[in-house]
PDB file of all heavy atoms in Angstrom:
ATOM      1  N   GLN B 285     198.400 -65.811 -78.270  1.00  0.00           N
ATOM      2  CA  GLN B 285     199.252 -64.804 -78.893  1.00  0.00           C
ATOM      3  C   GLN B 285     199.034 -63.485 -78.173  1.00  0.00           C
ATOM      4  O   GLN B 285     197.902 -63.133 -77.842  1.00  0.00           O
ATOM      5  CB  GLN B 285     198.898 -64.653 -80.370  1.00  0.00           C
ATOM      6  CG  GLN B 285     199.420 -65.816 -81.192  1.00  0.00           C
ATOM      7  CD  GLN B 285     199.613 -65.442 -82.637  1.00  0.00           C
ATOM      8  OE1 GLN B 285     198.805 -64.731 -83.189  1.00  0.00           O
ATOM      9  NE2 GLN B 285     200.682 -65.917 -83.234  1.00  0.00           N
ATOM     10  N   ILE B 286     200.101 -62.794 -77.925  1.00  0.00           N
ATOM     11  CA  ILE B 286     200.007 -61.506 -77.251  1.00  0.00           C
ATOM     12  C   ILE B 286     200.301 -60.409 -78.270  1.00  0.00           C
ATOM     13  O   ILE B 286     201.355 -60.429 -78.912  1.00  0.00           O
ATOM     14  CB  ILE B 286     201.022 -61.416 -76.082  1.00  0.00           C
ATOM     15  CG1 ILE B 286     200.850 -62.597 -75.117  1.00  0.00           C
ATOM     16  CG2 ILE B 286     200.908 -60.076 -75.365  1.00  0.00           C
ATOM     17  CD1 ILE B 286     199.600 -62.568 -74.278  1.00  0.00           C
ATOM     18  N   ASN B 287     199.365 -59.502 -78.397  1.00  0.00           N
ATOM     19  CA  ASN B 287     199.580 -58.330 -79.255  1.00  0.00           C
ATOM     20  C   ASN B 287     199.970 -57.176 -78.342  1.00  0.00           C
ATOM     21  O   ASN B 287     199.283 -56.912 -77.350  1.00  0.00           O
ATOM     22  CB  ASN B 287     198.287 -57.980 -79.995  1.00  0.00           C
ATOM     23  CG  ASN B 287     197.852 -59.107 -80.898  1.00  0.00           C
ATOM     24  OD1 ASN B 287     198.444 -59.351 -81.923  1.00  0.00           O
ATOM     25  ND2 ASN B 287     196.824 -59.832 -80.484  1.00  0.00           N
ATOM     26  N   MET B 288     201.049 -56.531 -78.654  1.00  0.00           N
ATOM     27  CA  MET B 288     201.530 -55.437 -77.809  1.00  0.00           C
ATOM     28  C   MET B 288     201.822 -54.204 -78.653  1.00  0.00           C
ATOM     29  O   MET B 288     202.399 -54.316 -79.734  1.00  0.00           O
ATOM     30  CB  MET B 288     202.837 -55.853 -77.109  1.00  0.00           C
ATOM     31  CG  MET B 288     202.627 -56.846 -75.985  1.00  0.00           C
ATOM     32  SD  MET B 288     204.180 -57.351 -75.232  1.00  0.00           S
ATOM     33  CE  MET B 288     204.788 -58.515 -76.410  1.00  0.00           C
ATOM     34  N   ASP B 289     201.407 -53.061 -78.121  1.00  0.00           N
ATOM     35  CA  ASP B 289     201.811 -51.781 -78.728  1.00  0.00           C
ATOM     36  C   ASP B 289     202.881 -51.203 -77.816  1.00  0.00           C
ATOM     37  O   ASP B 289     202.613 -50.952 -76.635  1.00  0.00           O
ATOM     38  CB  ASP B 289     200.621 -50.809 -78.787  1.00  0.00           C
ATOM     39  CG  ASP B 289     199.559 -51.292 -79.759  1.00  0.00           C
ATOM     40  OD1 ASP B 289     199.767 -52.338 -80.394  1.00  0.00           O
ATOM     41  OD2 ASP B 289     198.515 -50.622 -79.867  1.00  0.00           O
ATOM     42  N   VAL B 290     204.060 -51.047 -78.338  1.00  0.00           N
ATOM     43  CA  VAL B 290     205.141 -50.508 -77.514  1.00  0.00           C
ATOM     44  C   VAL B 290     205.702 -49.251 -78.165  1.00  0.00           C
ATOM     45  O   VAL B 290     205.575 -49.050 -79.375  1.00  0.00           O
ATOM     46  CB  VAL B 290     206.291 -51.538 -77.314  1.00  0.00           C
ATOM     47  CG1 VAL B 290     205.838 -52.701 -76.466  1.00  0.00           C
ATOM     48  CG2 VAL B 290     206.847 -52.024 -78.631  1.00  0.00           C
ATOM     49  N   GLN B 291     206.281 -48.400 -77.335  1.00  0.00           N
ATOM     50  CA  GLN B 291     206.981 -47.257 -77.905  1.00  0.00           C
ATOM     51  C   GLN B 291     208.281 -47.033 -77.152  1.00  0.00           C
ATOM     52  O   GLN B 291     208.350 -47.193 -75.932  1.00  0.00           O
ATOM     53  CB  GLN B 291     206.087 -46.014 -77.917  1.00  0.00           C
ATOM     54  CG  GLN B 291     205.507 -45.603 -76.600  1.00  0.00           C
ATOM     55  CD  GLN B 291     204.522 -44.449 -76.779  1.00  0.00           C
ATOM     56  OE1 GLN B 291     203.579 -44.545 -77.558  1.00  0.00           O
ATOM     57  NE2 GLN B 291     204.747 -43.359 -76.078  1.00  0.00           N
ATOM     58  N   GLY B 292     209.310 -46.733 -77.918  1.00  0.00           N
ATOM     59  CA  GLY B 292     210.625 -46.546 -77.311  1.00  0.00           C
ATOM     60  C   GLY B 292     211.308 -45.329 -77.883  1.00  0.00           C
ATOM     61  O   GLY B 292     210.893 -44.795 -78.920  1.00  0.00           O
ATOM     62  N   LYS B 293     212.373 -44.936 -77.185  1.00  0.00           N
ATOM     63  CA  LYS B 293     213.082 -43.750 -77.657  1.00  0.00           C
ATOM     64  C   LYS B 293     213.886 -44.050 -78.915  1.00  0.00           C
ATOM     65  O   LYS B 293     214.168 -43.171 -79.717  1.00  0.00           O
ATOM     66  CB  LYS B 293     213.996 -43.230 -76.545  1.00  0.00           C
ATOM     67  CG  LYS B 293     213.216 -42.455 -75.480  1.00  0.00           C
ATOM     68  CD  LYS B 293     214.144 -41.803 -74.496  1.00  0.00           C
ATOM     69  CE  LYS B 293     213.344 -40.978 -73.479  1.00  0.00           C
ATOM     70  NZ  LYS B 293     214.173 -40.525 -72.367  1.00  0.00           N
ATOM     71  N   SER B 294     214.299 -45.310 -79.041  1.00  0.00           N
ATOM     72  CA  SER B 294     215.067 -45.668 -80.233  1.00  0.00           C
ATOM     73  C   SER B 294     214.761 -47.105 -80.632  1.00  0.00           C
ATOM     74  O   SER B 294     214.188 -47.864 -79.851  1.00  0.00           O
ATOM     75  CB  SER B 294     216.576 -45.533 -79.946  1.00  0.00           C
ATOM     76  OG  SER B 294     216.960 -46.531 -79.026  1.00  0.00           O
ATOM     77  N   THR B 295     215.174 -47.445 -81.819  1.00  0.00           N
ATOM     78  CA  THR B 295     214.964 -48.824 -82.283  1.00  0.00           C
ATOM     79  C   THR B 295     215.777 -49.793 -81.442  1.00  0.00           C
ATOM     80  O   THR B 295     215.379 -50.940 -81.238  1.00  0.00           O
ATOM     81  CB  THR B 295     215.381 -48.966 -83.769  1.00  0.00           C
ATOM     82  OG1 THR B 295     216.700 -48.443 -83.912  1.00  0.00           O
ATOM     83  CG2 THR B 295     214.428 -48.242 -84.681  1.00  0.00           C
ATOM     84  N   ASP B 296     216.940 -49.309 -80.956  1.00  0.00           N
ATOM     85  CA  ASP B 296     217.790 -50.176 -80.110  1.00  0.00           C
ATOM     86  C   ASP B 296     217.052 -50.583 -78.836  1.00  0.00           C
ATOM     87  O   ASP B 296     217.174 -51.722 -78.373  1.00  0.00           O
ATOM     88  CB  ASP B 296     219.092 -49.450 -79.750  1.00  0.00           C
ATOM     89  CG  ASP B 296     220.013 -49.334 -80.955  1.00  0.00           C
ATOM     90  OD1 ASP B 296     219.754 -50.047 -81.954  1.00  0.00           O
ATOM     91  OD2 ASP B 296     220.957 -48.523 -80.912  1.00  0.00           O
ATOM     92  N   ASP B 297     216.304 -49.617 -78.270  1.00  0.00           N
ATOM     93  CA  ASP B 297     215.563 -49.928 -77.042  1.00  0.00           C
ATOM     94  C   ASP B 297     214.517 -51.016 -77.299  1.00  0.00           C
ATOM     95  O   ASP B 297     214.363 -51.951 -76.513  1.00  0.00           O
ATOM     96  CB  ASP B 297     214.865 -48.670 -76.507  1.00  0.00           C
ATOM     97  CG  ASP B 297     215.873 -47.616 -76.061  1.00  0.00           C
ATOM     98  OD1 ASP B 297     216.939 -48.024 -75.555  1.00  0.00           O
ATOM     99  OD2 ASP B 297     215.596 -46.410 -76.227  1.00  0.00           O
ATOM    100  N   ILE B 298     213.811 -50.845 -78.409  1.00  0.00           N
ATOM    101  CA  ILE B 298     212.770 -51.839 -78.735  1.00  0.00           C
ATOM    102  C   ILE B 298     213.409 -53.190 -79.060  1.00  0.00           C
ATOM    103  O   ILE B 298     212.920 -54.241 -78.661  1.00  0.00           O
ATOM    104  CB  ILE B 298     211.877 -51.327 -79.890  1.00  0.00           C
ATOM    105  CG1 ILE B 298     211.029 -50.160 -79.354  1.00  0.00           C
ATOM    106  CG2 ILE B 298     210.977 -52.433 -80.439  1.00  0.00           C
ATOM    107  CD1 ILE B 298     210.075 -49.544 -80.337  1.00  0.00           C
ATOM    108  N   GLN B 299     214.555 -53.121 -79.752  1.00  0.00           N
ATOM    109  CA  GLN B 299     215.275 -54.366 -80.055  1.00  0.00           C
ATOM    110  C   GLN B 299     215.707 -55.076 -78.769  1.00  0.00           C
ATOM    111  O   GLN B 299     215.615 -56.311 -78.656  1.00  0.00           O
ATOM    112  CB  GLN B 299     216.498 -54.051 -80.933  1.00  0.00           C
ATOM    113  CG  GLN B 299     217.260 -55.278 -81.393  1.00  0.00           C
ATOM    114  CD  GLN B 299     216.409 -56.206 -82.253  1.00  0.00           C
ATOM    115  OE1 GLN B 299     215.797 -55.783 -83.230  1.00  0.00           O
ATOM    116  NE2 GLN B 299     216.331 -57.468 -81.866  1.00  0.00           N
ATOM    117  N   ALA B 300     216.142 -54.262 -77.785  1.00  0.00           N
ATOM    118  CA  ALA B 300     216.560 -54.834 -76.500  1.00  0.00           C
ATOM    119  C   ALA B 300     215.376 -55.523 -75.812  1.00  0.00           C
ATOM    120  O   ALA B 300     215.505 -56.627 -75.268  1.00  0.00           O
ATOM    121  CB  ALA B 300     217.123 -53.736 -75.590  1.00  0.00           C
TER     122      ALA B 300
END
Side-chain angles (χ1 to χ4, degrees):
Chain B
Q285 285 204 320
I286 306 289
N287 298 287
M288 286 178 282
D289 292 358
V290 292
Q291 55 186 55
K293 282 187 177 170
S294 68
T295 52
D296 288 346
D297 295 326
I298 290 181
Q299 184 62 52

